Amino acid sequence: AQSVTQPDIHITVSEGASLELRCNYSYGATPYLFWYVQSPGQGLQLLLKYFSGDTLVQGIKGFEAEFKRSQSSFNLRKPSVHWSDAAEYFCAVGAVNNAGNMLTFGGGTRLMVKP
Amino acid sequence: GAVVSQHPSWVICKSGTSVKIECRSLDFQATTMFWYRQFPKQSLMLMATSNEGSKATYEQGVEKDKFLINHASLTLSTLTVTSAHPEDSSFYICSARQSAEAFFGQGTRLTVV
């Protein structure tokens, strides 16, 4: 069964500083990998996804993530954080060739941004 | 991207009553939709997979008779929380799949008093 671990429950960074949110997954084959952002009381917005090809993927709002198969990781990065980036971030893995395409989510990382 | 609309955004109901939550794919057809539950400050837990024209597939530990799912058309799935109790209070989120990507509704905050 697939699983996702986000080791950091909370992260606080200063506005303008760089950001890296960690994500480790467990899956027996090539995974689909996703990062979502959730503002309080809202649904999830897709930031970026990895299916295949280039292991460095670019997303919206200046985010990027790098798929590292050897480390089973898909860390999310942003070079300069803005106050509006404060939210909850979820990493998710989807099964390849799964007709149901079920997503398994990590526990989430709450990002706080200091002025 | 594709749009998934969830209604209502929030609802308060009395204990013992039933509440229906709708999930619609606005600009695409979705043969499969998913229902998640999210407790405060926690991740999303898959409750069930809703399949158009057939019975939903429930995750282990989810009561089928309590959380009724109907997927009568390619653009609409509904989740009915029957005989709601305060412990059912939660944030419920649906998603619909288009190709290999899932799109999420904005969620429904259910409070049972």
Side-chain angles (χ1 to χ4, degrees), chain B residues 2-3 64 80 95 105:
Chain B
V3 178
K64 301 178 182 180
T80 301
S95 77

Side-chain angles (χ1 to χ4, degrees), chain A residues 3-59:
Chain A
S3 66
V4 181
T5 302
Q6 293 179 244
D8 305 304
I9 297 175
H10 297 277
I11 283 186
T12 300
V13 299
S14 297
E15 190 168 15
S18 63
L19 170 71
E20 182 170 35
L21 303 182
R22 295 184 291 166
C23 172
N24 293 98
Y25 69 91
S26 173
Y27 184 62
T30 301
Y32 290 164
L33 294 164
F34 306 82
W35 273 101
Y36 290 89
V37 61
Q38 183 183 36
S39 298
Q42 300 293 315
L44 276 68
Q45 181 182 23
L46 180 67
L47 287 176
L48 47 77
K49 60 183 182 285
Y50 171 79
F51 288 169
S52 65
D54 192 348
T55 56
L56 183 64
V57 293
Q58 302 296 321

Side-chain angles (χ1 to χ4, degrees), chain A residues 20-21 28 48 50 53 67 73 77 87 90 103:
Chain A
E20 182 170 35
L21 303 182
L48 47 77
Y50 171 79
F67 169 56
S73 70
R77 300 193 294 250
F90 292 97
L103 289 179

Side-chain angles (χ1 to χ4, degrees), chain B residues 45-98:
Chain B
M45 301 300 296
L46 181 66
M47 298 175 64
T49 302
S50 171
N51 302 297
E52 188 269 335
S54 64
K55 293 183 178 180
T57 303
Y58 289 82
E59 295 300 299
Q60 190 173 10
V62 178
E63 299 178 59
K64 301 178 182 180
D65 296 332
K66 180 163 196 61
F67 298 100
L68 299 179
I69 291 174
N70 183 277
H71 195 156
S73 78
L74 288 171
T75 59
L76 174 64
S77 175
T78 60
L79 168 67
T80 301
V81 183
T82 63
S83 186
H85 290 283
E87 57 265 30
D88 298 324
S89 299
S90 191
F91 195 59
Y92 294 87
I93 304 176
C94 72
S95 77
R97 186 171 68 96
Q98 185 185 45

